Amino acid sequence: MLSKGVFAVSFVITLLYGNLLMEVEGIGVNWGSQASHPLPPATVVRLLRDNGIQKVKLFEADSDILRALSRSGIQVMVGIPNDLLAPLAGSVAAAERWVSQNVSAHISSNGVDIRYVAVGNEPFLKAFNKTFESITLPALQNIQSAIIKAGLATQVKVTVPLNADVYQSASNLPSDGDFRPDIRDLMLEIVKFLSDNQAPFIINIYPFISLYNDPNFPVEFAFFDGTGTPTNDNGRIYDNVLDANYDTLVWSLQKNGFGNLSIIVGEVGWPTDGDKNANLQYARRYNQGFMNRQKANKGTPMRPGAMDAYLFGLIDEDAKSIQPGNFERHWGIFYIDGQPKYQLSLGNGNGLIPAKDVHYMAKKWCILAQNANLQDPQLGPSVSYACDHADCTSLGYGSSCGNLNLAQNVSYAFNSYYQVSNQLDSACKFPGLSVVSTRDPSVGTCKFKIMIKSDSSAGEASAPLTRSMALLLLFLMCLYFL
C-alpha cells in the first residue's frame, strides 16, 4: 500500500521473504503526549510534515491529535493503553465501541490514514508481574473481530508492541534465540494470531537500556560505527547490539515456523538527559547512525534491507513517569517547545526543522533570593515540594545540570515549579527564599527553561515520582554544611 500523502518518500524498499511482500516507507516517530504543556496538535502535525515524517505511532487514541492528522498524508498507528486491556478482553461489545469511536469514525469522517491498532504496550514486562498475560490475547482477538465487523481488516492491522525481553538467547548468539520460557506458549499463540491476520510483530529495542542496566555493557557495541568488538554467529558478523537483538527475534520466529512474519521496530532511539550516558552527543551518534543505515538500505545478516521503524521519540515529555529512570522524560529529538536538540538528517538531506508559531511565556525565572538563608529549615521542604510538582530530572549525576552548586540547584527546582505553574505569582512565594528575576540564570549547558504557552492549566500535570530528585538535593545540602 503506497502512501496517499504528497510528501517525498525518503526510501521505498520492497522485501520479499517467500510469499511475504513488505514495503518500508521512510521513518516513523513515536508521538507521546505526557507533557505538562504540550504543543497544539496542529503545530506538531506541521512539524511532522515539515520534516518529511510519514508515519506516526500514538500511545492512545487522542481525539484532538487524530483530528489534527486528518488528511495529512501521515500513516497512523493508534495505541490502546494497558489499563484498557481488561475491559476490551472481557467484552466484544466494548471492543466494537472502541473501534467505532477511535478508528472507524476518524477514517470515515476525518480521513485519518490509520494503518495499525497497537493493543497494549509491552504488556509482558516482568515489572508488570504477569498482570496482563491472561488478557492481552483476548483483547487482540476482540479488537480484530471489531475491525473485521467494521469492514477495515484490509486497511487496519491489529498487533501488540512488545519489549525485547520476550525472547532470549542462552549463549547471547542470535541463532540460539527463542521466546522466554515462562511465556513461550502464549507468545506462539500471539505470533500465530499475527500471522493468520497478516499483521506485523512489533518489537521495541533499546541499546541504551542495556547500557543503563549493565555498567559492564560494551559501550561501542551500542552504536553503528563498527568500533565495537564484533560477534561471530556461525559466519554472521554482528558489530552492534541492535542487529544482534533483531536477529535473535528473527531466529525465535523461524524456529517456531513463522520465519516470514514481518517485523516493525516500534521504538528505537537514545535519550539526551537524566543519566550519565544520556546526552546530546550519544543521542545524535546513535540516531544518525541508525538513519544512515536506513538510507543505505542496510539491514541485518538475517534480514537485509532497511527496517520498518519508528524513532522514539518525537518530543520530550516532562510529565512522564520516571520509575524506569530519569531519562524517561528526555527521549525526544525535539525539546518540549519543538526546537531540535541536535542536527539530525532523517534521510531527506536536511537537518531537523523546528516547530513554527510556538509562543512562550514571559522571560522571567523564579530563583533563590540573594539574601536567602541556606540554613533556613524551610529550604528542604520547599525544594521537595517544587520537585514533586515539576521536573528536576536534569539535576542528577552526569545529567546536563548535574554540576550546579547548592544555590543553583535550589533555583533550578524553584524555576521548574514556577514554569510548570504558568509563571503564577503564587508559584514563586517560597517564604523568604524565592524571588522572580528577569535575568536568565542558566549555567553553561544547563538551561533554566521558559515554559511555552498552551491550554494546560497550572499544575495539571504533576510529577509525583520526582521525590528522588528532591532527596538528591537534600543530600547535596547536607554535603554543603559538612
Side-chain angles (χ1 to χ4, degrees):
M1 295 179 288
L2 294 177
S3 170
K4 298 177 182 178
V6 297
F7 311 109
V9 178
S10 300
F11 41 82
V12 179
I13 299 165
T14 302
L15 302 177
L16 186 61
Y17 300 113
N19 62 355
L20 170 67
L21 183 68
M22 179 180 68
E23 291 179 347
V24 180
E25 300 178 343
I27 190 69
V29 295
N30 286 266
W31 177 357
S33 57
Q34 297 183 54
S36 64
H37 291 66
L39 288 169
T43 300
V44 179
V45 171
R46 183 177 180 183
L47 177 69
L48 293 169
R49 296 178 66 175
D50 285 347
N51 285 281
I53 296 169
Q54 302 171 21
K55 300 182 296 186
V56 68
K57 178 168 167 275
L58 308 176
F59 291 92
E60 56 188 346
D62 185 295
S63 58
D64 291 334
I65 291 177
L66 287 169
R67 279 193 292 268
L69 287 163
S70 172
R71 298 175 179 86
S72 64
I74 298 172
Q75 299 176 13
V76 181
M77 182 186 300
V78 179
I80 297 177
N82 288 338
D83 58 7
L84 291 182
L85 292 179
L88 293 175
S91 169
V92 174
E96 291 175 352
R97 285 193 300 271
W98 190 94
V99 167
S100 175
Q101 295 169 7
N102 299 296
V103 180
S104 302
H106 289 288
I107 291 176
S108 60
S109 301
N110 300 328
V112 182
D113 188 8
I114 297 176
R115 300 293 183 96
Y116 302 101
V117 174
V119 181
N121 186 43
E122 301 184 339
F124 305 145
L125 282 175
K126 292 182 179 179
F128 291 143
N129 197 28
K130 300 182 180 296
T131 301
F132 306 111
E133 287 186 13
S134 64
I135 56 178
T136 298
L137 180 57
L140 277 166
Q141 293 167 331
N142 287 348
I143 290 293
Q144 178 67 34
S145 296
I147 289 290
I148 293 172
K149 184 175 182 179
L152 297 171
T154 301
Q155 175 182 345
V156 181
K157 298 301 178 181
V158 179
T159 182
V160 52
L162 297 166
N163 187 274
D165 73 347
V166 298
Y167 50 86
Q168 61 187 37
S169 168
S171 67
N172 290 324
L173 294 176
S175 60
D176 284 333
D178 203 347
F179 293 110
R180 209 171 76 205
D182 62 308
I183 57 170
R184 186 174 183 276
D185 291 344
L186 174 59
M187 283 303 307
L188 293 183
E189 288 187 81
I190 288 176
V191 169
K192 184 178 186 304
F193 167 88
L194 297 176
S195 179
D196 289 346
N197 293 286
Q198 297 82 50
F201 191 112
I202 299 184
I203 193 66
N204 300 337
I205 303 176
Y206 283 114
F208 169 81
I209 302 296
S210 299
L211 183 58
Y212 179 78
N213 289 331
D214 181 5
N216 296 316
F217 184 85
V219 176
E220 294 302 308
F221 199 60
F223 299 97
F224 305 104
D225 309 323
T227 55
T229 302
T231 296
N232 187 328
D233 184 5
N234 297 316
R236 298 179 180 88
I237 306 302
Y238 294 89
D239 61 7
N240 69 87
V241 68
L242 177 69
D243 284 358
N245 195 308
Y246 186 99
D247 276 1
T248 304
L249 170 59
V250 174
W251 277 103
S252 301
L253 293 170
Q254 187 167 300
K255 286 178 180 178
N256 291 288
F258 299 96
N260 289 340
L261 191 66
S262 62
I263 298 173
I264 292 177
V265 179
E267 298 178 18
V268 60
W270 199 281
T272 56
D273 209 350
D275 181 71
K276 64 179 181 178
N277 290 311
N279 54 62
L280 296 174
Q281 294 73 28
Y282 275 6
R284 183 188 184 281
R285 181 184 176 191
Y286 185 83
N287 286 331
Q288 191 61 71
F290 180 76
M291 289 309 307
N292 290 345
R293 286 164 45 92
Q294 293 287 90
K295 186 177 181 180
N297 191 22
K298 183 179 180 182
T300 72
M302 289 294 290
R303 288 202 178 178
M307 297 177 180
D308 194 351
Y310 293 75
L311 288 179
F312 190 85
L314 181 62
I315 300 171
D316 279 352
E317 300 173 80
D318 67 340
K320 193 176 180 183
S321 167
I322 59 169
Q323 186 173 6
N326 293 329
F327 55 83
E328 279 295 332
R329 295 179 177 173
H330 304 279
W331 285 99
I333 56 177
F334 293 92
Y335 290 109
I336 192 173
D337 60 355
Q339 298 303 303
K341 293 182 176 180
Y342 45 84
Q343 284 302 309
L344 178 66
S345 173
L346 296 180
N348 55 11
N350 302 315
L352 296 177
I353 298 172
K356 295 180 173 63
D357 300 322
V358 178
H359 303 286
Y360 296 83
M361 296 181 188
K363 290 187 176 181
K364 54 183 181 178
W365 298 260
C366 180
I367 61 173
L368 182 70
Q370 190 171 2
N371 61 350
N373 181 2
L374 291 175
Q375 299 185 25
D376 190 316
Q378 290 303 310
L379 186 64
S382 296
V383 168
S384 294
Y385 182 86
C387 283
D388 275 353
H389 294 84
D391 179 24
C392 295
T393 54
S394 295
L395 293 174
Y397 170 73
S399 300
S400 62
C401 299
N403 293 323
L404 300 184
N405 62 31
L406 175 61
Q408 292 164 342
N409 269 278
V410 174
S411 290
Y412 187 96
F414 285 175
N415 184 65
S416 294
Y417 176 69
Y418 180 62
Q419 300 297 336
V420 82
S421 301
N422 295 324
Q423 295 186 349
L424 292 174
D425 289 342
S426 59
C428 193
K429 296 291 186 182
F430 298 98
L433 296 171
S434 59
V435 64
V436 173
S437 172
T438 57
R439 183 177 178 180
D440 189 348
S442 298
V443 181
T445 59
C446 177
K447 304 302 180 184
F448 284 54
K449 299 174 185 175
I450 292 289
M451 187 55 73
I452 60 174
K453 293 181 179 179
S454 77
D455 296 332
S456 299
S457 60
E460 185 175 61
S462 63
L465 291 173
T466 54
R467 184 172 299 276
S468 61
M469 299 310 303
L471 293 174
L472 171 64
L473 291 177
L474 291 173
F475 174 71
L476 292 172
M477 291 167 60
C478 291
L479 291 180
Y480 178 84
F481 292 117
L482 290 177

